[in-house]
């Protein structure tokens, strides 16, 4: 299965070269950043030491990527503390992925959401953080799965399901923000397209 890191490692490792190298050796298919990482004064050093770019669609930097083709899926990510509003960042990342030749009809799109500011909640027309994340998930026809961390009001014990404006199903998984490795089983049920757990 795909191995994705949702952020926090850059903040924890700081400028420690050995820590970055250990993380690089863990073989993640794709990795993202969170608000703590963005506030870290040694973020660029950590990324250089890791030797690969994290995905952060709402943070324009030579050290980051708006999307990643992670082999069997496309990874997008947004985090509180970025430089662009979430909906704008997702739209740009999807356009860039499409321009890179990725076929969204055959390639699932995974969106990581790490926290959300009141600015983005208001921009998305949400009544709270969970509602705003759900609106973000549903307003495009290309995102298939949203994994949200640190969003109060989203269930962390089961997946949510909604229908986007094109009538296609989108799945939403809440996860507690954690400093330990979390395993999320996303095997898919027979023909329904729903996560099995």
């Amino acid at each position: 299965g795909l191995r994705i890191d949702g952020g926090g490692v850059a903040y924890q490792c700081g400028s420690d070269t050995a820590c970055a190298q250990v993380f690089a050796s863990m073989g993640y298919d794709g990795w993202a950043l969170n608000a703590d990482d963005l506030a870290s004064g040694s973020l660029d050093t950590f990324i250089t030491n890791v030797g690969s770019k994290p995905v952060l669609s709402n943070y324009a930097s030579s050290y980051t990527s708006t999307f990643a083709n992670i082999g069997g899926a496309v990874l997008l990510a947004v985090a509180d503390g970025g430089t662009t509003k979430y909906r704008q960042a997702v739209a740009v990342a999807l356009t860039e992925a499409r321009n890179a030749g990725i076929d969204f009809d055959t390639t699932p799109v995974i969106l990581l959401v790490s926290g959300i500011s009141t600015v983005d909640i208001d921009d998305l027309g949400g009544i709270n953080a969970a509602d705003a994340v759900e609106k973000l998930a549903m307003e495009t026809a290309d995102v298939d799965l949203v994994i949200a961390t640190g969003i109060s009001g989203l269930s962390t014990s089961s997946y949510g399901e909604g229908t986007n404006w094109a009538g296609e199903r989108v799945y939403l998984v809440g996860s507690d923000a954690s400093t330990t490795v979390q395993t999320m089983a996303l095997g898919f049920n027979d023909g329904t397209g729903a996560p099995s757990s």
Side-chain angles (χ1 to χ4, degrees), residues 31-86:
W31 61 292
L33 302 173
N34 67 16
D36 288 337
D37 298 325
L38 289 174
S40 170
S42 53
L43 175 59
D44 293 351
T45 300
F46 174 79
I47 294 173
T48 298
N49 289 337
V50 170
S52 64
K53 289 185 177 184
V55 178
L56 196 55
S57 307
N58 68 319
Y59 186 72
S61 164
S62 61
Y63 287 95
T64 60
S65 177
T66 56
F67 76 94
N69 188 344
I70 56 176
V74 171
L75 178 65
L76 314 179
V78 289
D80 188 12
T83 54
T84 309
K85 290 178 181 176
Y86 283 9

Side-chain angles (χ1 to χ4, degrees), residues 11-183:
Y11 169 74
Q12 294 292 331
C13 285
S15 58
D16 187 328
T17 301
C19 184
Q21 291 172 341
V22 168
F23 175 69
S25 71
M26 294 174 73
Y28 284 98
D29 296 290
W31 61 292
L33 302 173
N34 67 16
D36 288 337
D37 298 325
L38 289 174
S40 170
S42 53
L43 175 59
D44 293 351
T45 300
F46 174 79
I47 294 173
T48 298
N49 289 337
V50 170
S52 64
K53 289 185 177 184
V55 178
L56 196 55
S57 307
N58 68 319
Y59 186 72
S61 164
S62 61
Y63 287 95
T64 60
S65 177
T66 56
F67 76 94
N69 188 344
I70 56 176
V74 171
L75 178 65
L76 314 179
V78 289
D80 188 12
T83 54
T84 309
K85 290 178 181 176
Y86 283 9
R87 70 187 336 165
Q88 295 167 330
V90 169
V92 169
L94 289 171
T95 297
E96 291 184 1
R98 188 177 289 107
N99 290 342
I102 294 173
D103 182 358
F104 293 145
D105 289 332
T106 58
T107 307
V109 176
I110 301 170
L111 172 62
L112 299 182
V113 178
S114 179
I116 190 167
S117 68
T118 54
V119 171
D120 277 299
I121 293 172
D122 292 343
D123 183 58
L124 288 159
I127 58 174
N128 53 39
D131 183 56
V133 170
E134 290 174 5
K135 289 182 185 302
L136 179 64
M138 305 308 166
E139 71 176 19
T140 170
D142 297 314
V143 172
D144 300 290
L145 171 67
V146 177
I147 301 173
T149 59
I151 304 293
S152 61
L154 290 181
S155 172
T156 58
S157 60
S158 64
Y159 68 88
E161 180 180 343
T163 303
N164 63 29
W165 65 266
E168 298 168 339
R169 281 180 297 189
V170 182
Y171 297 98
L172 189 65
V173 179
S175 176
D176 291 325
S178 174
T179 57
T180 60
V181 174
Q182 304 292 309
T183 300

